[in-house]
Amino acid sequence: MTRALFPALALLIVPTSAYAASDFEPDATDDPALVQAWQAWDAKDIDDYTTTVTLSCFCPEIAAVRTVVRDGEIRKVTQGGRRLAHRKGHSMDQLFAMIRDAQATADRVEVSYSSRGVPKSITVDPEKLATDEERYYTVSVMRS
């Protein structure tokens, strides 16, 4: 179980001060659904929003991470009422990058996107033959 916990926690720790939300750019090797979702999100031209990312796994309960983005920069990150370093937050671009990385390395990745391109649920199974190391993310986005 400990082995499964560390990769799960590592994905919650994303690369403090106002922290520029890195720009995701799709490329030819990306999953078409990921590209289409990013295009839908990018077309909205939203620079002020808040993400809430909840991780479920076969590990101790982890509070959701709430990230406030203003003018395209991460301004505030909290988890269970505690402030965190900005690098531990989740901008939309960072979520798209996380999905890309998971699709390149995991045995199974399932993503459900909203019509606005928001990845509403993300399932990552790093090794299909291993037991209880799957991670399940739920994402909500509120426009500010």
Side-chain angles (χ1 to χ4, degrees):
M1 182 161 113
T2 304
R3 183 174 161 231
L5 175 62
F6 291 121
L9 290 175
L11 280 177
L12 279 179
I13 301 172
V14 179
T16 236
S17 62
Y19 185 80
S22 60
D23 291 331
F24 177 84
E25 288 292 331
D27 62 40
T29 63
D30 285 327
D31 175 62
L34 173 64
V35 173
Q36 184 177 6
W38 177 83
Q39 289 171 338
W41 172 257
D42 190 55
K44 300 289 185 195
D45 199 28
I46 300 172
D47 291 328
D48 299 328
Y49 59 92
T50 300
T51 64
T52 302
V53 178
T54 304
L55 169 66
S56 301
C57 58
F58 296 97
C59 55
E61 189 172 325
I62 301 169
V65 174
R66 186 172 176 264
T67 305
V68 177
V69 177
R70 298 286 178 267
D71 296 322
E73 293 185 349
I74 293 177
R75 300 292 180 162
K76 181 178 179 183
V77 179
T78 57
Q79 183 178 34
R82 291 180 340 161
R83 274 193 97 129
L84 299 178
H86 291 179
R87 72 182 188 286
K88 294 183 180 184
H90 301 281
S91 70
M92 285 297 294
D93 284 334
Q94 290 166 325
L95 288 168
F96 288 125
M98 180 184 82
I99 293 165
R100 172 193 279 160
D101 292 346
Q103 289 173 333
T105 60
D107 283 345
R108 181 176 66 95
V109 178
E110 294 177 9
V111 184
S112 171
Y113 298 99
S114 75
S115 60
R116 293 185 309 157
V118 175
K120 302 299 283 178
S121 66
I122 307 164
T123 299
V124 179
D125 186 357
E127 292 182 55
K128 68 180 176 184
L129 297 179
T131 304
D132 298 343
E133 90 298 1
E134 300 88 357
R135 297 180 304 275
Y136 308 93
Y137 301 89
T138 55
V139 179
S140 65
V141 176
M142 290 180 41
R143 197 168 178 178
S144 302

